[in-house]
Amino acid sequence: MKKSALSAALAGGPAPPPPATLAPGTKGTFLDSNAFPCIEFADVIDGVKTVDELGGTAAEGIAHLDISDVAIVGSAPTNVLLNGVPLGQQASLTQPSSSYSSNYLSKAIIGSLPKGMSDADKARILQSIPLSPSQALLKEMNADLVGARSTDGRTLRRQALKGAVMVFVTAGYSGKRFIFEKAKELGVRSVVLDGPDSWVKLLEKEGIIEKFVPIDFTDAETVYDRCLAALRVVRSSVGMLDGITTFCEMAVPLASRLAEALGLPANSPQAVDNARDKHATREIMGRAGLPTPRHFKVLAEPDVAKAAAHVGFPCVIKPISGAASIGVIRANNEEDLLKAFKKVQHDMSRARIVAGALVEGDDEGTDAQGNAGGWIHLELMVEEYLDGHEVDCDLIFDNGRPVYGAITDNWPTVEPYFNETGSNCPSVLPKAQQIELLELSVRAVQSLGFKLGVFHVECKYTSRGARLIEVNCRMGGGPVRDTNLLVWGVDLVEEHLMACAGIPVRPPVARRPLKQMAEYTINAQKTGHIQHVNFLDKYRGQEGVLYARPLVAPGAKCHCVADGLPTWLCELMVVRPDVREAIAVIKGIEAEINKELETLIV
């Protein structure tokens, strides 16, 4: 793989330490507690140790993290105007067919080179990378210090990242503005490929990003050529590219192919495709000897009975490459499963891509015909229902090994559609369960062939042990970045940018939680129109309430679970000295709000 200027300058730097090996029958874990802080803190949850017995407060330099300096984002999009004109929240990106090979992409890059040039000369041109003075200076840096898990090491890594040119494939919805603000703070020169009417135009005008490149993503047959041609122009005007990435689920396959084509640090398209295909994920994990639920691919209605016979009940039907729990339904018998199959087919045919994310369509109006068919396989899968506690395992990988990981507990979802509700961090699960969940998550990511970056792995601790739900090969949305930064002092945005620029990733990690938090998203308990959202006013400004904000506008139509996927009405986040106290506070607020909403939704 051709290295970027930063990768070349850092060549020879230290690799992550290999995981410790355990003798057969030895209790413990191969996970480094310095990288997985929740493992050590779980002794406090289990009552084995007190907080004071854990030792140091936090990694050097992050003990005094001030939450007032942290932009707490949550899930809410923002309204964006440029010169008084609303900018589009909708990205028109259509994922190109995965049939495009890396050979095709490599040819697209060198298409502008003189005809008749030998392969050796072409290779030399692609490998020749001029270094800026600051990048050349990196060669003289202490390689051990650059890869150290310390604030001094992070200072050098930030110095290496400063001035890097990072390409983002789609900007996502405007609530992801914080990603580009963080990149700007780190000195990254951001280039964004997005639809012509993207809200990100505003960021270019404000100087937060260096360049906005309008791309019509709707033509899957030519999008690679046009993106690569655009990036060649960017290289001539902005400079050598150091990385290509995306924080949008549906754009990950395209970003991985573009990075591979340009020889930049990236996970392989095959690994991305396998993670995006839940059926392929199950097959790969099974071959790797990892526990995996019974599953069966459903291509047509006659397959429903076969799936029922193989999987049993209760079961879950889902798209093999969906997102955001859209089209995911629990079935308790074969009649329910057949109804669910038809409903999912109907819903997925109307699903839409909005700002790089999959959203539910409507049966009426412009959303009646969905546009997601080019993004996702409309094939379905039936798998056994997983009982137990659901968690998110947020991981950072460098050179194929985990350098950070932490668990966030997810609260029970609204079934049968599995709509999310709340979460808390640190986890309150017993230490043994946390270790099992983290080990499964790490091995799942490795079995799929991933090497670098941030991963959002969803699991459950079932009555039979840890089981994987899915591997998301990008940072989680909603409050995920907030949670890891507030609790463990790790900024997933910063670390992912470093990974994509080929810089060693060793985040300093708090030894014990800096903050302990709980967050909740209220699902509509009845169908109707919400009269106003003023009921949230009294919670804003209360001690420990980081946000209390609506996710719908006054007068909006809301749906309860009896009428389909429930509507998210509002979201809240609370911090307290103890996570259990934070959970209790959130649950109390939830009860108050739901009581008030009984009369506000009519």
Side-chain angles (χ1 to χ4, degrees):
M1 176 173 67
K2 179 173 73 66
K3 296 181 180 293
S4 71
L6 296 183
S7 301
L10 289 167
T21 56
L22 297 173
T26 302
K27 292 184 178 180
T29 177
F30 64 82
L31 302 175
D32 180 3
S33 62
N34 291 317
F36 292 82
C38 57
I39 292 177
E40 189 174 37
F41 187 74
D43 285 332
V44 176
I45 297 297
D46 288 349
V48 175
K49 294 181 179 179
T50 66
V51 173
D52 293 336
E53 291 173 331
L54 289 181
T57 303
E60 179 190 356
I62 62 174
H64 304 293
L65 178 69
D66 185 353
I67 62 173
S68 64
D69 294 333
V70 177
I72 305 302
V73 179
S75 305
T78 56
N79 296 320
V80 179
L81 298 176
L82 179 59
N83 298 327
V85 179
L87 290 176
Q89 289 283 334
Q90 179 170 336
S92 56
L93 176 64
T94 299
Q95 178 187 337
S97 168
S98 60
S99 63
Y100 284 93
S101 67
S102 59
N103 289 335
Y104 171 86
L105 295 171
S106 298
K107 292 176 182 177
I109 303 171
I110 62 178
S112 61
L113 297 179
K115 293 183 179 179
M117 181 179 289
S118 69
D119 290 342
D121 287 338
K122 291 178 180 178
R124 278 193 291 272
I125 289 176
L126 291 175
Q127 292 289 343
S128 63
I129 305 171
L131 297 180
S132 67
S134 62
Q135 291 166 342
L137 180 64
L138 290 172
K139 289 186 175 181
E140 302 175 10
M141 287 183 177
N142 183 311
D144 290 333
L145 184 55
V146 170
R149 193 185 293 277
S150 66
T151 52
D152 286 341
R154 182 173 61 185
T155 297
L156 287 180
R157 293 191 292 273
R158 285 177 171 174
Q159 181 180 342
L161 185 63
K162 188 174 182 179
V165 178
M166 185 67 63
V167 175
F168 295 82
V169 182
T170 78
Y173 65 90
S174 59
K176 292 185 182 290
R177 177 189 176 102
F178 71 94
I179 294 171
F180 303 100
E181 291 177 334
K182 182 63 181 182
K184 175 69 174 180
E185 175 190 327
L186 293 167
V188 172
R189 301 167 65 198
S190 299
V191 176
V192 182
L193 310 182
D194 210 348
D197 65 342
S198 172
W199 64 273
V200 83
K201 291 179 183 179
L202 179 65
L203 300 187
E204 184 181 39
K205 184 177 181 180
E206 294 176 354
I208 294 174
I209 68 170
E210 182 140 339
K211 191 174 185 62
F212 164 61
V213 181
I215 295 284
D216 178 5
F217 289 99
T218 57
D219 185 355
E221 294 302 317
T222 64
V223 68
Y224 280 128
D225 292 314
R226 290 183 286 105
C227 283
L228 288 170
L231 293 181
R232 285 197 294 270
V233 174
V234 168
R235 286 192 300 186
S236 65
S237 62
V238 178
M240 295 297 297
L241 307 182
D242 292 292
I244 297 178
T245 190
T246 185
F247 286 80
C248 301
E249 174 72 18
M250 298 300 168
V252 175
L254 176 57
S256 70
R257 284 166 169 79
L258 291 171
E260 181 189 63
L262 292 170
L264 295 171
N267 293 301
S268 72
Q270 187 62 56
V272 170
D273 291 348
N274 285 335
R276 292 282 304 130
D277 183 332
K278 296 178 178 63
H279 186 266
T281 297
R282 299 294 190 214
E283 296 294 301
I284 290 169
M285 289 188 62
R287 291 196 294 270
L290 299 174
T292 185
R294 294 188 303 276
H295 56 282
F296 195 95
K297 185 183 286 189
V298 177
L299 303 178
E301 187 171 324
D303 294 329
V304 173
K306 299 175 185 176
H310 177 75
V311 173
F313 294 99
C315 67
V316 177
I317 188 167
K318 61 177 67 173
I320 66 170
S321 61
S325 298
I326 295 175
V328 182
I329 301 178
R330 170 176 169 161
N332 296 319
N333 52 57
E334 191 166 338
E335 180 182 358
D336 286 348
L337 182 58
L338 183 58
K339 290 179 181 178
F341 168 76
K342 294 178 179 179
K343 176 173 175 52
V344 174
Q345 278 195 320
H346 174 274
D347 291 348
M348 295 308 293
S349 71
R350 286 158 173 75
R352 299 186 61 78
I353 305 301
V354 177
L358 188 69
V359 300
E360 190 178 33
D362 296 327
D363 286 336
E364 301 176 356
T366 58
D367 285 347
Q369 296 299 319
N371 70 348
W375 285 64
I376 60 176
H377 298 295
L378 296 181
E379 299 169 344
L380 307 180
M381 180 178 74
V382 175
E383 65 180 14
E384 62 178 306
Y385 173 81
L386 299 176
D387 61 2
H389 299 283
E390 183 174 332
V391 303
D392 291 337
C393 297
D394 293 302
L395 304 175
I396 304 176
F397 267 63
D398 184 35
N399 198 26
R401 294 171 180 162
V403 294
Y404 169 74
I407 286 181
T408 298
D409 296 334
N410 287 334
W411 299 357
T413 55
V414 179
E415 295 187 4
Y417 300 104
F418 300 95
N419 223 30
E420 296 174 359
T421 54
S423 67
N424 62 266
C425 191
S427 171
V428 297
L429 292 177
K431 181 175 183 176
Q433 293 184 15
Q434 292 194 44
I435 290 175
E436 190 177 341
L437 288 160
L438 287 166
E439 288 184 343
L440 176 64
S441 298
V442 167
R443 287 173 170 144
V445 170
Q446 291 173 329
S447 71
L448 291 170
F450 288 110
K451 300 298 183 184
L452 60 87
V454 173
F455 300 89
H456 184 67
V457 185
E458 299 173 24
C459 297
K460 271 192 172 184
Y461 197 86
T462 73
S463 54
R464 292 179 294 158
R467 294 293 185 272
L468 178 81
I469 298 175
E470 64 182 9
V471 173
N472 297 286
C473 39
R474 43 82 187 166
M475 183 181 78
V480 169
R481 187 257 193 165
D482 301 337
T483 297
N484 286 272
L485 182 56
L486 285 172
V487 179
W488 303 114
V490 175
D491 192 329
L492 300 181
V493 174
E494 176 175 343
E495 303 304 330
H496 185 70
L497 293 177
M498 288 188 179
C500 292
I503 299 171
V505 182
R506 308 287 190 280
V509 181
R511 292 282 303 278
R512 61 190 187 191
L514 302 173
K515 304 292 178 184
Q516 302 193 39
M517 53 74 61
E519 59 85 23
Y520 200 84
T521 304
I522 303 288
N523 286 257
Q525 300 295 307
K526 61 187 291 189
T527 296
H529 291 83
I530 188 166
Q531 302 303 294
H532 63 77
V533 292
N534 299 338
F535 59 89
L536 293 170
D537 292 347
K538 63 182 176 182
Y539 302 108
R540 300 190 185 100
Q542 287 187 10
E543 181 182 0
V545 177
L546 300 190
Y547 59 73
R549 54 196 176 206
L551 296 176
V552 295
K557 178 69 179 291
C558 307
H559 298 274
C560 69
V561 68
D563 296 316
L565 191 68
T567 302
W568 284 333
L569 301 177
C570 58
E571 59 180 355
L572 308 99
M573 180 179 283
V574 169
V575 294
R576 285 291 188 273
D578 181 84
V579 64
R580 295 181 180 89
E581 181 185 350
I583 293 171
V585 170
I586 280 282
K587 287 188 176 294
I589 294 176
E590 176 209 3
E592 292 176 4
I593 289 177
N594 277 330
K595 184 176 181 180
E596 194 162 357
L597 287 172
E598 290 178 3
T599 57
L600 289 182
I601 298 178
V602 295

